[in-house]
Structures are given as structure tokens and as C-alpha cells.
Amino acid sequence: EVEEEEKDAPSLPLAKRAKTEGWEARMGSEFRGARATGHHGPVPDGDVDDVHGSSCTEMPVTTVGYDELAGCVPWWGDAEASDNRRVGRWGEALVYRYLLQRHPGWTVTWVNEHAESKCFYDVKMRNVRDGRTVFVEVKTTRSADKNAFEVSPWEWDFACKPGVEYHVYRVYSAGERGRTRITIVRNPAKLVREHAISMALAI
């Protein structure tokens, strides 16, 4: 997904792809310049996105390091910080390739591959064995540790629908060789209700 100076605000219901320049400056000091905490568990072996598995029950937020992503990087030198759309597309391509590699038994569709779809998610995964579907929203930043990003009200409404499995993949250090990583947040609406992650408003 496209970022406004990199899609930024922590699990927030704010406008998707809308022009919101300076929104972070309008946030309270407790959120301004928010940084990743580093308290997320490593990605376990096996189906890391199987929310019915024990690994996700124990670790709804996990981080994928560069070593595991190295073979999935789409290209280098094309995610210029000045081009937000290109940064967002780079992150989506990375996550798409990672999911293809990680889930050989699934059908993985990058809905924005050929054109911007305006969907409430960027990647759709479907298990060919049981029909289970997971929707993935990608939030990309050039920053190494900025954990604040925008979520539109439409994305949030979709994430809150009963029975919908909605995961957010936060890509850090987009385009930076050796530093890129992904933090995966599974079912953020549930985590907000459980006070495991926070929401904020920008005015």
C-alpha cells in the first residue's frame, strides 16, 4: 500500500491512501516519534500464519528478520524515500514473495500487482485444502523503527468483521540491504480489545 511519508500511525483507523500530510506532527507527544519496542518473538518454524496453531496463540505479534527475507527481496535500489508509492509497492512485493515461499499449500494473490485495487487489503491468501482465507495489509516504511502507521476506517471495519482473519505486515527499512525486516500483527482488532497493541487518533 502507498504511504504518506511512509504509511504511519499505530493500528489507527485513518484514511487509506488519503492525503494526510503532517498527521504525525498533530499526534500527542506520547505517540510522536514512536519506535518499535523489539519485544516481538521470532518467527517459529512451520506455518507462522496459522492462527489456529499454538505458535500464533502464544505470539500474535512476530518479527521476520532479514536472513529469512533475503531470498524474497523483489529488487534493490528502487525504493527511493522520495517516492512513497514506490516504497509501498516494494513492501507489498516483498510480502507477496515471502508468503509464496512460506505457504506452498496456499493460493496467494497480490491484489495490487497490476493496478491499485482500492481493496481493504493488499494480499489475499487461501488454503487450497480447507478454503480458509487470510487477508493481509502491508504497511511499509523506510524507517528502521517507526511503529506508527495509518489504518483507514474502511480497513479497520473490515478487520473487525466476525470471522475475518486480517493480518498487518509492517515492513521496516524498505530497500535497505541487510536491514529489512517485517513485523506481523495477527488480527489487530482482537489485540486492541485485549490491550496488546494501542490505537490513536490524529486531529
Side-chain angles (χ1 to χ4, degrees), residues 49-52 106 132-136 158-159 161 163-167 187:
D49 293 318
D50 185 353
V51 297
H52 300 301
W106 293 63
R132 182 175 144 239
T133 302
V134 176
F135 301 94
V136 174
F158 185 74
K161 287 183 179 297
V164 168
E165 292 187 28
Y166 193 82
H167 299 177
N187 296 312

Side-chain angles (χ1 to χ4, degrees), residues 18-123:
K19 295 297 181 181
T20 55
E21 292 182 5
W23 74 270
E24 189 182 36
R26 300 194 301 273
M27 298 178 72
S29 58
E30 63 271 32
F31 288 100
R32 193 175 300 127
R35 294 292 180 267
T37 62
H39 296 316
H40 309 136
V43 174
D45 293 333
D47 191 353
V48 298
D49 293 318
D50 185 353
V51 297
H52 300 301
S54 60
S55 62
C56 284
T57 300
E58 297 170 359
M59 294 187 298
V61 181
T62 54
T63 297
V64 183
Y66 175 78
D67 288 346
E68 191 167 353
L69 295 173
C72 308
V73 173
W75 59 85
W76 292 111
D78 203 27
E80 294 91 341
S82 60
D83 190 335
N84 293 326
R85 288 187 177 275
R86 192 166 290 178
V87 170
R89 187 167 180 80
W90 192 95
E92 289 181 17
L94 172 68
V95 170
Y96 171 65
R97 291 164 64 100
Y98 170 75
L99 293 173
L100 282 174
Q101 174 180 286
R102 191 67 171 172
H103 302 281
W106 293 63
T107 298
V108 182
T109 304
W110 179 12
V111 299
N112 301 321
E113 183 174 8
H114 303 294
E116 176 58 47
S117 67
K118 304 298 182 183
C119 287
F120 309 140
Y121 51 88
D122 300 310
V123 179

